[in-house]
Amino acid sequence: MTRRLLHLLISATAWCGFVAITVWTMAFLANVVVPRTVDGPGRTTTTWAITIDLALLGLFAVQHSVMARRSVKSWLSRRMPAALERTTYVLATNTCLALLVALWQPWGGEIWHVDGAAALVLWALCAAGWILALASTFAVDHLELIGLRQAGWVRPRDAASSGLQTGGLHAVVRHPLMTGLLLAFWATPHMGASHLLFAVASTGYIAVGMWFEERDLRRTFGTSYDEYASRVPSLIPGLRPRRRAVLEPQGGAR
């Protein structure tokens, strides 16, 4: 019982960290409330600022990618309780993201700045992006994504509920979390050079991550995912998905 309570406490700590760093990142990108923001006053030379920012972005990308690999998950599972494997991933992600927003070095000038009705529209889109991103975690399984279910807060899901998700938000786009994040990163009335670097790097990472996720989903669900992908766009609602080319055998070919 003591061990289970310890697992629950660690998992709850990771969840609280997730909530805190998510709110911190929102304020960081919106240039409000927190002392250091994405486009705040410069504190060092442009070259040094870009070097630091790219290193912080790279650290997050490496952690997020490496710890998601099956071989690394297997290695971790042999060295810690299985109930804490996902929680460890969340704690590491929280740490890397906290380092990014705490040590970020603003640089450069303004890319665009709009006021009035246009600014309100962009703020609304940004808010919608964050809401969509958070809602998408519940559309799958928020408790499992954050590690609370594995730690024993609620009973594990049955196999039937762990299949391909095609309803709700996933009936509109295949990757609602990524759609929400891209909106949140790009929809801003005040875009500075350092914010642009953050948005471009994050978009590139999301594109690569989606490519690998699509590959894994097709390996797991086969033609079921192909049929789903033929109906539902990847990121933009209403955008007709491109059909995958299928090579038919030529007549007389052996």
Side-chain angles (χ1 to χ4, degrees):
M1 179 62 71
T2 302
R3 179 176 296 180
R4 181 172 181 273
L5 287 175
L6 179 61
H7 292 172
L8 292 175
L9 178 61
I10 296 172
S11 180
T13 300
W15 181 83
C16 290
F18 165 80
V19 173
I21 195 62
T22 299
V23 174
W24 187 2
T25 304
M26 291 177 182
F28 169 79
L29 291 175
N31 291 297
V32 296
V33 181
V34 294
R36 291 196 174 191
T37 61
V38 67
D39 281 327
R43 293 180 291 272
T44 185
T45 65
T46 298
T47 301
W48 187 233
I50 293 174
T51 301
I52 293 173
D53 293 345
L54 288 175
L56 292 169
L57 289 163
L59 174 64
F60 178 83
V62 169
Q63 176 273 321
H64 218 60
S65 301
V66 171
M67 290 190 70
R69 294 178 63 88
R70 291 182 181 178
S71 58
V72 175
K73 289 182 179 180
S74 177
W75 183 87
L76 287 173
S77 66
R78 295 193 298 269
R79 289 161 175 80
M80 65 177 59
L84 293 180
E85 187 269 323
R86 182 64 186 181
T87 293
T88 301
Y89 179 84
V90 173
L91 285 170
T93 299
N94 291 346
T95 301
C96 290
L97 191 50
L99 287 172
L100 190 153
V101 296
L103 301 179
W104 184 265
Q105 300 296 321
W107 58 276
E110 198 168 67
I111 305 300
W112 71 68
H113 183 115
V114 298
D115 295 305
L120 292 176
V121 170
L122 287 170
W123 281 128
L125 287 173
C126 180
W130 283 116
I131 292 170
L132 175 59
L134 292 173
S136 68
T137 68
F138 291 90
V140 182
D141 187 336
H142 180 80
L143 296 178
E144 184 173 296
L145 186 70
I146 214 68
L148 290 170
R149 186 180 297 279
Q150 296 90 322
W153 281 85
V154 290
R155 66 181 183 179
R157 295 191 301 168
D158 55 37
S161 62
S162 301
L164 179 62
Q165 302 293 321
T166 60
L169 292 175
H170 290 88
V172 182
V173 289
R174 302 200 301 276
H175 303 281
L177 173 61
M178 303 312 172
T179 298
L181 290 177
L182 289 173
L183 263 179
F185 295 163
W186 285 97
T188 175
H190 313 130
M191 175 68 79
S194 50
H195 189 160
L196 182 64
L197 174 65
F198 180 96
V200 169
S202 299
T203 300
Y205 178 73
I206 286 172
V208 173
M210 282 176 50
W211 185 88
F212 281 104
E213 184 178 3
E214 291 268 320
R215 184 194 64 178
D216 292 343
L217 287 168
R218 284 190 163 90
R219 287 177 176 175
T220 302
F221 298 107
T223 55
S224 295
Y225 190 81
D226 287 336
E227 191 277 330
Y228 167 62
S230 71
R231 295 183 290 104
V232 179
S234 178
L235 286 173
I236 303 175
L239 184 65
R240 185 180 179 86
R242 291 190 307 172
R243 293 185 177 275
R244 301 182 76 200
V246 178
L247 296 179
E248 298 290 347
Q250 300 294 321
R254 296 183 182 274

